[in-house]
Amino acid sequence: MPTEGELREELAAAYRLMALHGMTDLVFTHLSARLPGEGRRFLVNPYGLLFEEITASSLVLVNAEGELAQETSWPVNPAGFVIHSAVHLGRADAHCVMHTHTLAGMAVAAQQGGILPLNQISMEFDGRVAYHDYEGVAADDNLSECERLVADLGDRPCMVLRHHGLLTVGRTVAEAFYWMWYLEQSCRIQLAAQAGGVPLAIPSRGTIERTRAQFSTGPTKGWLPWQALKRKLDREQPDYRD
């Protein structure tokens, strides 16, 4: 079980990597992590910082309502934490929750068909992506939507928020990042394939299911690429650990 200090560094690394790979929306959207132990305490980004500015020490500790649970000069955005809080509290395995507003993710979120099994990357998501219909900007005065969102997510690691963006859940920061990285890649590939202007080739159901089963699962999901990505950050942006 990671310490708070270790979890801060993991989450700060995720913020930097999101920025590095163009998966940000100015100062909006969040990546959050639940602290181990008793109580409902979560780490999230201070409101107003770009993801590329996040460091381990600048992450703020909040309670389930998104209210500060530590002394800090940084502001927070409780309304922006609504979705994260609902997922953290609704899923025992939701130690890390990531939500993005990327161009590719929002474009696919506007399509009726959702994630299509167009390549082996997207085939891993067969049966692992939930969908939640848009009900307006998420806010803390609409708790009933939070209940519906958690119910729609079920036990899946990924969700497409229609007309909104993407969301992933992980038992670790590495796992949540793995799902988000490849969900985003699936969206980008899908848009590129659709832009070709020719009919799309969809594999057989048997091929899709076989391919999905060939991808490994477990508590170390995403660990290997995550270690490689952190080594890159240690070379190029070591201040994320500050």
Side-chain angles (χ1 to χ4, degrees), residues 95-114:
H95 295 290
C96 182
V97 178
M98 298 189 176
H99 172 47
T100 62
H101 294 165
T102 63
L103 177 62
M106 290 190 292
V108 172
Q111 297 182 357
Q112 290 185 355

Side-chain angles (χ1 to χ4, degrees), residues 56-228:
S57 62
S58 69
L59 291 167
V60 293
L61 198 60
V62 298
N63 60 21
E65 287 69 47
E67 300 167 337
L68 283 172
Q70 69 172 75
E71 290 188 7
T72 176
S73 59
W74 295 110
V76 294
N77 179 12
F81 188 65
V82 169
I83 290 175
H84 291 254
S85 177
V87 175
H88 279 300
L89 298 180
R91 286 270 297 268
D93 63 338
H95 295 290
C96 182
V97 178
M98 298 189 176
H99 172 47
T100 62
H101 294 165
T102 63
L103 177 62
M106 290 190 292
V108 172
Q111 297 182 357
Q112 290 185 355
I115 303 294
L116 302 177
L118 299 179
N119 56 86
Q120 66 177 16
I121 289 175
S122 56
M123 288 182 218
E124 181 177 12
F125 291 98
D126 181 58
R128 292 192 172 113
V129 180
Y131 294 86
H132 177 68
D133 289 336
Y134 189 66
E135 299 186 31
V137 177
D140 54 9
D141 61 352
N142 189 7
L143 298 181
S144 62
E145 183 187 1
C146 291
E147 295 175 356
R148 288 188 290 276
L149 187 150
V150 172
D152 288 341
L153 179 62
D155 63 355
R156 299 176 186 87
C158 307
M159 172 174 270
V160 172
L161 301 166
R162 295 201 183 276
H163 312 293
H164 188 171
L166 307 177
L167 181 143
T168 61
V169 174
R171 290 159 290 189
T172 63
V173 174
E175 183 179 36
F177 186 87
Y178 174 93
W179 288 124
M180 183 58 77
W181 173 269
Y182 282 110
L183 189 61
E184 170 71 14
Q185 296 309 307
S186 295
C187 291
R188 294 184 185 186
I189 292 168
Q190 182 167 319
L191 294 178
Q194 291 169 327
V198 297
L200 300 176
I202 304 295
S204 68
R205 169 47 47 184
T207 297
I208 295 170
E209 292 177 353
R210 180 174 181 272
T211 303
R212 176 188 185 276
Q214 289 175 318
F215 285 92
S216 63
T217 58
T220 60
K221 184 71 172 178
W223 184 87
L224 199 60
W226 180 250
Q227 299 308 308

Side-chain angles (χ1 to χ4, degrees), residues 12-81:
Y15 275 105
R16 292 296 185 93
L17 289 166
M18 287 286 189
L20 187 62
H21 295 287
M23 297 167 67
T24 66
D25 179 13
L26 298 179
V27 300
F28 305 102
T29 73
H30 304 280
L31 319 178
S32 59
R34 181 170 60 208
L35 262 62
E38 297 297 323
R40 296 174 172 180
R41 300 182 303 155
F42 311 91
L43 291 170
V44 70
N45 52 316
Y47 192 40
L49 287 188
L50 296 170
F51 282 18
E52 66 192 41
E53 298 177 291
I54 299 293
T55 63
S57 62
S58 69
L59 291 167
V60 293
L61 198 60
V62 298
N63 60 21
E65 287 69 47
E67 300 167 337
L68 283 172
Q70 69 172 75
E71 290 188 7
T72 176
S73 59
W74 295 110
V76 294
N77 179 12
F81 188 65

Side-chain angles (χ1 to χ4, degrees), residues 227-240:
Q227 299 308 308
L229 288 167
K230 285 206 301 179
R231 290 195 300 272
K232 178 180 178 65
L233 283 181
D234 285 333
R235 291 192 301 270
E236 301 177 2
Q237 301 181 37
D239 64 315
Y240 80 91

